[in-house]
Amino acid sequence: MPGAGQLRRDNRSTLRRTFSWHRLREEVIRGGLFCCALLSVMTTLAIIFVLFTEALFTIPPHTAFFQDVSVREFFLGAQWSPQYDPPHYGIAPLICGTFLITGISGLIGLPAGLLIAIYLSEYSSPRARSLCKPLLEILAGIPTIVYGYFGLSFVTPYVITPLFESLLGVPVQGFNAFSGGIVVGIMIIPMVASLSEDVLRAVPGSLREAGYALGATKFDVSAKIVVPSALSGVIASFLLALSRSIGETMAVAICSGNTPTLTLNPLVGIQTMTTFIVNVMQGEVVAGSTVEKSLYAVALVLFVITLGMNLVSQIILEKYREAYQ
């Protein structure tokens, strides 16, 4: 029989081997997670590098976009026609079309998504919630090209045209920004509803009970206690949904057309920054030409806009975040 000293030495040796194995496993997991985080950072930096080098700087023997086109013309020009002679590279019509689609979709999708989130969080029964959540997920999973053809074949001829052209006498083009904004607004409803419901349900029940104890109705508790308490998360969901609207491509291209128009009239055809990029990539454009390089300049502007919106959402989250015990 081994002595007590030998048993203690064996136990210490076993513990050291076990500790070393667990430590090695933790280090491997830590390294794997670090590599995943590093991959996302490197991907972002690679995108920034490509956009900036193609649009702003020179890599011999190529030339950058802004060496052929002045910055003043690019940002202040009111005409975008790079494929005509002479070409014009004023991005204002593309920015106007992008924000027109985003504004219409926000007016439709943000209130609807928030109201759905309030219903699911405060009013619905568990059975109703179990039915509504899968339907929202199905709505989020529909391909964007299906939304585009839905807007072109149903929204424009059966909703917008009868309302504006038949009743109000206002002409409606077959491709129009209103149709694109409606379908994009429908597309962002699941995102707003899902994210907002999560933050609404995270509000402590003690706040609701305090409101009911003071005689408040369910509407008062929802509108005056729950929503203000979760305001930072709700606003962040709004900004993320609007970022999705800015980056939407296929649905807008099918519904709103590809005519760069500097207008605030939602009943005419427009072109957004993303649809222009798609058209250039699909068209017969000479590689290395100014037209081909213009897509990098447009993509750079789009990247800066979406980055700015994400930064604003982070600032709002940090400023209005409510911490509950």
Side-chain angles (χ1 to χ4, degrees), residues 213-225:
L214 294 174
T217 63
K218 184 177 285 291
F219 176 79
D220 291 331
V221 171
S222 302
K224 299 179 181 180
I225 296 177

Side-chain angles (χ1 to χ4, degrees), residues 38 106 109 133 137 154 197-198 202 227 256:
L38 183 63
K133 291 288 286 185
E137 293 173 359
F154 179 81
E197 188 211 357
D198 290 339
V227 173
S256 302

